[in-house]
Amino acid sequence: MKILVIGGGPAGMMLAGQASKKHQVILIEQNEKLGKKLFLTGKGKCNISTSATLEEFEAKIVRGKSFLKTALTNFTYENCLDFFKDLGCPLKIERGKRIFPVSEKSSDIIKALSLYCKNVDVKLNEKVIKVIKVNEQYKVITSKGQYVVDKVVVATGGLSYAQTGATGDGYKLFKQPLIETKQALVPINIKAIPLRKCLKLKNVKLICEEIELFGELDIYSSKIEGPLGIMMSSLINRKENIALFIDFKPALSLNQLQIRLDNNKYKDLSLILKDFLPLDIIPTFLTKCQNKKDIPYYLKRFPLDYLKLDSYSRAIITSGGIDINYIDAVTFESKINPHVYYIGEVLDVDALTGGYNLHIALAVAKQCAEYI
Ligand SMILES: Cc1cc2nc3c(=O)[nH]c(=O)nc-3n(C[C@H](O)[C@H](O)[C@H](O)COP(=O)(O)OP(=O)(O)OC[C@H]3O[C@@H](n4cnc5c(N)ncnc54)[C@H](O)[C@@H]3O)c2cc1C
């Protein structure tokens, strides 16, 4: 059987390598090399997977939780460790259950996946433009020629970091229902606040309605980032009228803060606040809170004026894409276009940071290849 894979990211490479054990596989990548986005991951170290339990993993999935269950059950992090070890790229588990290559080089993950594709006919600098169904087969038209194949796998990624080749082509190659895309894991733009440099806050909460995230938050004069900022973006990207708040003192209740305030001997607001906040944020805090009696409230619920999410060019992942209701969750075959498969970020699945998104791309690709 002849299989053509569109896209040489982690999903496409994993599938092509696995399927090439039994079939003739062609992998078409428009870039001059494989894994251009993969190279950037984890700040060049590549957080390839996570040792989270299935339950913990599912808690980090924003869209597609039940759809991904079979693939995640069949490709665990232990499988991932073995897979890369066998390809000469051992992995290690770090703080927060994050998994990286021992070498801390994303290029080693790319080398390993390229090695896995040693029996694949890899075509670089070639872009798939159109696919036409011809009887029971597909004619794939590219920038350099055409191929007639039995099965087509779409692994073209999403829309984020377009310079890596993620241009959304996979959404248009077949008639397939789509869910509107949104930027995810992206900085959040806020109305400017008077800050000279980035404030790095630890042990705070970022709150939006019922969503409360605890951890580290980076505040710049006109955007928020850091783990809490970018994770919040994935959870609010389909909400309207967004109101964001910081709880600077999650460990203390309003009452406890009030008692501490009553015990504070200073009269000057700035001096009082030194007991409660890092120095750098006090001027910003004073733009919203000018009364001593209001201090506890604003310490628990300091408002940030939301403007919008930053652009796709800064988004780690794309939310939305190929509607998973029309994709088989076991084989990843389209329920509308027979012998067409969708894997990786092109699908309407996304998760928070921590190696979840790459693990999903690999697990789905592995499962799909086994069915093919
Ligand atoms: C800066 C950054 C850091 C990240 N860090 C992490 C991390 O540490 N851990 C983690 O889990 N996730 C991380 N991610 C997310 C992760 O990179 C993606 O989830 C993953 O790359 C998706 O894999 P994919 O194979 O589906 O798509 P991609 O990696 O986007 O690959 C798709 C490929 O398809 C090709 N293509 C598209 N259209 C065509 C066409 N018409 N013809 C031919 N080829 C085509 C593209 O050129 C591209 O190479 C990060 C993302 C970014 C942007």
Side-chain angles (χ1 to χ4, degrees):
M1 199 190 334
K2 220 174 185 180
I3 298 164
L4 186 138
V5 183
I6 312 172
M13 284 192 271
M14 176 61 130
L15 183 128
Q18 178 76 16
S20 69
K21 291 178 184 176
K22 287 194 181 157
H23 305 288
Q24 187 188 342
V25 182
I26 305 163
L27 171 61
I28 300 196
E29 168 54 55
Q30 63 186 343
N31 291 327
E32 69 291 358
K33 55 187 172 198
L34 295 171
K36 215 166 174 178
K37 182 177 280 180
L38 190 52
F39 184 71
L40 302 178
T41 57
K43 297 191 174 126
K45 292 181 182 174
C46 185
N47 182 193
I48 186 75
S49 179
T50 166
S51 62
T53 61
L54 183 59
E55 214 179 18
E56 289 166 340
F57 199 125
E58 286 181 337
K60 302 286 181 176
I61 297 175
V62 182
R63 297 177 68 81
K65 199 175 298 185
S66 53
F67 175 77
L68 293 168
K69 198 170 194 103
T70 313
L72 294 177
T73 308
N74 291 342
F75 187 73
T76 63
Y77 80 88
E78 287 101 335
N79 298 140
C80 188
L81 295 178
D82 290 344
F83 175 79
F84 282 101
K85 192 171 161 212
D86 290 348
L87 291 168
C89 177
L91 305 179
K92 59 175 178 175
I93 303 172
E94 293 275 286
R95 192 172 59 94
K97 303 194 174 185
R98 289 164 188 253
I99 299 182
F100 295 87
V102 169
S103 66
E104 299 193 343
K105 284 186 190 155
S106 58
S107 55
D108 285 342
I109 295 285
I110 298 171
K111 272 186 209 152
L113 286 168
S114 303
L115 178 64
Y116 198 51
C117 290
K118 63 178 187 297
N119 295 323
V120 176
D121 184 5
V122 177
K123 312 270 188 199
L124 299 175
N125 289 311
E126 189 163 346
K127 183 179 172 73
V128 172
I129 294 163
K130 203 170 169 184
V131 187
I132 304 162
K133 192 164 191 302
V134 183
N135 303 322
E136 293 307 300
Q137 288 186 304
Y138 286 99
K139 189 198 278 182
V140 179
I141 298 163
T142 73
S143 52
K144 290 189 177 169
Q146 58 186 48
Y147 306 82
V148 177
V149 296
D150 303 300
K151 290 176 189 265
V152 176
V153 181
V154 183
T156 46
L159 281 173
S160 38
Y161 276 66
Q163 72 273 24
T164 64
T167 45
D169 288 2
Y171 304 142
K172 299 171 282 194
L173 288 170
F174 294 90
K175 278 205 174 112
Q176 194 69 36
L178 292 175
I179 299 293
E180 188 190 358
T181 60
K182 299 273 180 191
Q183 309 91 306
L185 296 181
V186 68
I188 297 174
N189 294 339
I190 54 169
K191 203 166 146 197
I193 49 179
L195 277 182
R196 274 173 297 134
K197 57 177 183 160
C198 168
L199 275 180
K200 290 189 172 290
L201 301 174
K202 284 190 175 157
N203 301 323
V204 294
K205 260 190 192 171
L206 183 62
I207 301 168
C208 179
E209 297 169 11
E210 74 292 351
I211 307 164
E212 297 197 354
L213 300 176
F214 176 79
E216 294 174 23
L217 177 68
D218 294 351
I219 311 183
Y220 294 82
S221 68
S222 55
K223 66 177 178 195
I224 54 170
E225 262 189 68
L228 293 194
I230 67 163
M231 282 199 277
M232 184 59 93
S233 72
S234 290
L235 303 172
I236 62 171
N237 58 12
R238 291 176 195 274
K239 287 184 187 286
E240 311 239 317
N241 304 323
I242 291 157
L244 289 169
F245 300 92
I246 303 175
D247 180 349
F248 289 105
K249 296 284 168 202
L252 297 173
S253 67
L254 262 181
N255 271 349
Q256 288 167 316
L257 283 169
Q258 190 59 58
I259 293 166
R260 285 210 185 175
L261 192 67
D262 294 341
N263 292 338
N264 188 295
K265 58 185 185 307
Y266 295 111
K267 287 218 171 77
D268 180 87
L269 231 51
S270 300
L271 291 175
I272 299 171
L273 287 171
K274 275 184 189 170
D275 271 4
F276 294 93
L277 288 169
L279 270 187
D280 283 348
I281 200 164
I282 292 176
T284 307
F285 192 87
L286 288 171
T287 60
K288 304 276 181 191
C289 170
Q290 282 119 24
N291 282 311
K292 187 176 174 185
K293 68 172 178 34
D294 292 337
I295 289 177
Y297 174 81
Y298 280 107
L299 284 173
K300 296 294 291 173
R301 224 173 148 74
F302 183 79
L304 293 170
D305 297 322
Y306 173 88
L307 288 180
K308 60 179 179 142
L309 299 179
D310 213 332
S311 65
Y312 280 103
S313 64
R314 305 238 26 229
I316 288 175
I317 196 112
T318 305
S319 152
I322 298 292
D323 187 342
I324 54 179
N325 288 307
Y326 300 89
I327 303 293
D328 187 298
V330 177
T331 63
F332 298 98
E333 185 172 6
S334 162
K335 292 178 185 171
I336 295 171
N337 297 289
H339 306 301
V340 173
Y341 300 78
Y342 285 90
I343 57 170
E345 198 179 324
V346 71
L347 289 165
D348 175 25
V349 298
D350 68 290
L352 300 181
T353 53
Y356 301 96
N357 286 302
L358 281 173
H359 188 96
I360 289 170
L362 296 175
V364 167
K366 188 100 192 331
Q367 167 99 6
C368 175
E370 271 156 24
Y371 273 87
I372 283 183

